[in-house]
Amino acid sequence: MKAVVLASGGLDSTVAAAMARRDGYALYLLTIEYGQRHHVEIQKAREIAAWLEAGEHKILRFDLHAFGGSALVGSGDVPKNRSEHERETGIPSTYVPARNTVFLSLALAYAEVVDASCIFIGANVLDYSGYPDCRPEFLRAFERVARLGTKKGTHGNTVRIKAPLLLLSKTQIIQQGLALGVPFELTHSCYDPRGDGSACGQCDSCLIRLKGFEDAGLRDPVPYAARASDASSAP
């Protein structure tokens, strides 16, 4: 069995890839260099691909920065220190227009070429409820597109979209990764890293990740420029 995995270098996609490997899939990783300000994740994806012993790892440049429309590609500032209530309200400026639609389309093309039966994506609706392209109904709809719009689909071989983390909390995702031996220190989640690659500790992604590790009773091993817990305990 073969699976294409959308591998960003982040915690969620790495755990999803580890789950695919556990389930017996030969891994074909696809990382998209789309003009993201957190470019450090590309190198992290390379390191994770090596750890996973992926059969193949493709890094594809597809410049969404040319369109703009998102803080992740330089259109405005990344929001910092937002409360949980604020993070659950509306669609944040870090939403990249149609990103998962574009990424899944590219992964689908790759899956057809290597004859993969499914695509794994680290989408999560609980921690990122503001992103419309992380919803179960979107993923189901894209699976139907994959069936209708591909050679494999017309031959009755639908490419399935697998999102094993979809309904898990960040803490549960971390616990799953821990059980699978995921090297969390290789992953990167920050939307606005410092020049040295350290995480800011203040963007939505950092806050959610730090809270997940805290609730799991663990300390996140990646370097942070600042941690909310450290700041609150300072004299």
Side-chain angles (χ1 to χ4, degrees):
M1 300 186 298
K2 298 178 182 178
V4 170
V5 182
L6 282 166
S8 69
L11 190 155
D12 291 353
S13 71
T14 302
V15 174
M19 293 173 76
R21 184 177 67 171
R22 176 203 62 193
D23 292 345
Y25 288 95
L27 305 185
Y28 290 76
L29 270 56
L30 178 62
T31 300
I32 313 297
E33 186 177 359
Y34 62 94
Q36 62 268 53
R37 65 196 304 157
H38 50 309
H39 187 266
V40 64
E41 69 178 7
I42 304 299
Q43 178 55 35
K44 295 299 183 181
R46 291 190 180 96
E47 296 171 10
I48 290 161
W51 171 74
L52 287 164
E53 299 180 326
E56 192 169 76
H57 180 210
K58 289 194 178 293
I59 299 175
L60 182 64
R61 192 167 191 275
F62 195 90
D63 190 10
L64 296 178
H65 179 271
F67 293 157
S70 169
L72 291 194
V73 294
S75 297
D77 296 329
V78 172
K80 301 289 180 69
N81 296 315
R82 297 203 307 158
S83 68
E84 185 175 349
H85 174 72
E86 288 174 318
R87 295 197 301 268
E88 292 174 349
T89 305
I91 298 175
S93 63
T94 49
Y95 164 70
V96 180
R99 181 176 63 177
N100 279 352
T101 305
V102 172
F103 285 9
L104 283 169
S105 297
L106 296 171
L108 179 58
Y110 189 21
E112 278 216 281
V113 171
V114 301
D115 195 26
S117 61
C118 60
I119 296 167
F120 276 76
I121 182 172
N124 179 269
V125 74
L126 297 182
D127 286 337
Y128 298 97
S129 56
Y131 291 178
D133 54 2
C134 286
R135 294 175 298 166
E137 53 266 40
F138 165 76
L139 297 175
R140 287 195 299 268
F142 192 90
E143 191 170 85
R144 184 166 181 264
V145 168
R147 176 171 59 83
L148 294 174
T150 62
K151 180 179 179 180
K152 281 176 69 69
T154 60
H155 290 169
N157 300 314
T158 300
V159 176
R160 303 295 304 273
I161 308 300
K162 292 183 176 287
L165 313 182
L166 194 64
L167 300 178
L168 300 184
S169 70
K170 186 64 71 179
T171 301
Q172 290 172 319
I173 292 168
I174 290 166
Q175 290 169 336
Q176 184 72 243
L178 189 66
L180 293 170
V182 167
F184 295 122
E185 69 276 6
L186 296 184
T187 64
H188 178 88
S189 303
C190 180
Y191 290 154
D192 193 23
R194 300 295 186 258
D196 62 359
S198 62
C200 73
Q202 299 173 318
C203 68
D204 289 358
S205 187
C206 281
L207 293 175
I208 291 168
R209 176 174 171 140
L210 284 167
K211 183 66 162 54
F213 273 95
E214 180 183 349
D215 289 348
L218 301 170
R219 183 175 176 85
D220 190 349
V222 304
Y224 283 83
R227 296 181 190 236
S229 58
D230 293 343
S232 62
S233 62

